Amino acid sequence: MKKIAAFVGGMLACAAVALLVVGWSMGGGALTFNSATFSTSGSLNIPTGQSVTINSVDALTRLRHMWLDSGAFVPQTTSGAGTSTYEFADYYTMNDQIDFSATETEFAQVRFTLPPEWNSGPIKAKVYWRTLWTAESGVAWGLQAHAVSNADTIDLEWAETTICTDVNGTEKTLNITAAATVTFDTPIVKNDALYLRIYREVTNAADVIESDVSLLGVLIQYGESPVVSETW
């Protein structure tokens, strides 16, 4: 039995989450919940003179984010994108960026790992980008990935492409795509090295910007397990 909380009378506050009771029993003046699930907000009223034991609790997925800056990406040797540093004229804001041609399919890659708290659920991504093209147009980003475990071959085939389309603002605006789930061909094991490849899909009908587009970074979202981190 995992004793999550024990109170005698009053109100059990749940740190901005509410308990959804699945089953309960009462005996000897004690109220026992067999299982409970965290919801979004609220509290639980406990009758005076009774104690409460929660045997098991399932929590909503806690979402975490990881920023992969353009400076961490490496252009491929074969069909690689360009790199540049851009300074805005008004207040001298600087950007390291990866530049993708309007006519050629060019690639850049980044390698990263997720922390042990990752819950083995899906990984989502948003692409942060900009362009000097002033007319409202569109771009299509392609995301590909693969995972490498200990003693595995590093040079693996890329999984199915995830396409992110977006419309640009002005030459001074930051553009952020909608979130898209990154596809992996094989299940990811904790501590895997994850390789993410990004390219501009210039043959896509949604890609109509007639100049370079520049990658500023990719924001990753993943679910976190409520268990304690593993020790080494």
Side-chain angles (χ1 to χ4, degrees):
M1 177 182 293
K2 185 176 182 181
K3 191 173 184 180
I4 303 298
F7 288 83
V8 179
M11 178 178 290
L12 174 62
C14 300
V17 295
L19 291 173
L20 173 63
V21 178
V22 178
W24 62 275
S25 61
M26 185 172 181
L31 184 64
T32 300
F33 294 111
N34 297 323
S35 62
T37 301
F38 283 139
S39 183
T40 55
S41 63
S43 58
L44 179 66
N45 288 311
I46 307 302
T48 301
Q50 294 182 350
S51 62
V52 173
T53 298
I54 301 173
N55 293 332
S56 64
V57 173
D58 293 324
L60 284 179
T61 300
R62 292 177 288 187
L63 299 176
R64 302 296 184 192
H65 297 83
M66 176 184 295
W67 174 248
L68 304 175
D69 193 74
S70 60
F73 281 77
V74 178
Q76 283 188 184
T77 301
T78 303
S79 301
T83 60
S84 66
T85 301
Y86 184 85
E87 179 185 71
F88 284 93
D90 293 336
Y91 302 105
Y92 315 118
T93 302
M94 298 296 298
N95 281 294
D96 282 335
Q97 51 194 36
I98 308 289
D99 302 319
F100 294 82
S101 168
T103 57
E104 301 292 333
T105 302
E106 299 173 334
F107 301 86
Q109 301 180 26
V110 67
R111 181 184 62 245
F112 65 102
T113 61
L114 292 175
E117 295 85 4
W118 172 58
N119 67 357
S120 301
I123 299 170
K124 296 183 178 181
K126 291 183 177 182
V127 179
Y128 286 56
W129 64 283
R130 59 174 295 273
T131 181
L132 290 175
W133 190 252
T134 55
E136 183 177 298
S137 300
V139 68
W141 294 101
L143 297 174
Q144 299 173 316
H146 68 246
V148 181
S149 298
N150 180 42
D152 278 355
T153 298
I154 294 175
D155 191 22
L156 298 173
E157 183 177 358
W158 298 97
E160 181 180 351
T161 302
T162 298
I163 299 296
C164 301
T165 60
D166 200 14
V167 176
N168 63 299
T170 72
E171 72 275 16
K172 295 183 178 181
T173 57
L174 168 67
N175 307 293
I176 305 173
T177 69
T181 300
V182 180
T183 301
F184 289 84
D185 278 347
T186 57
I188 308 171
V189 179
K190 290 187 178 182
N191 300 315
D192 274 0
L194 307 182
Y195 287 79
L196 177 66
R197 181 164 78 162
I198 188 167
Y199 67 96
R200 180 179 177 183
E201 191 169 78
V202 296
T203 58
N204 192 296
D207 194 293
V208 290
I209 294 176
E210 297 178 21
S211 70
D212 282 3
V213 294
S214 300
L215 174 71
L216 301 180
V218 176
L219 185 63
I220 298 294
Q221 183 186 79
Y222 61 93
E224 183 182 80
S225 171
V227 300
V228 178
S229 300
E230 63 185 47
T231 57
W232 292 354

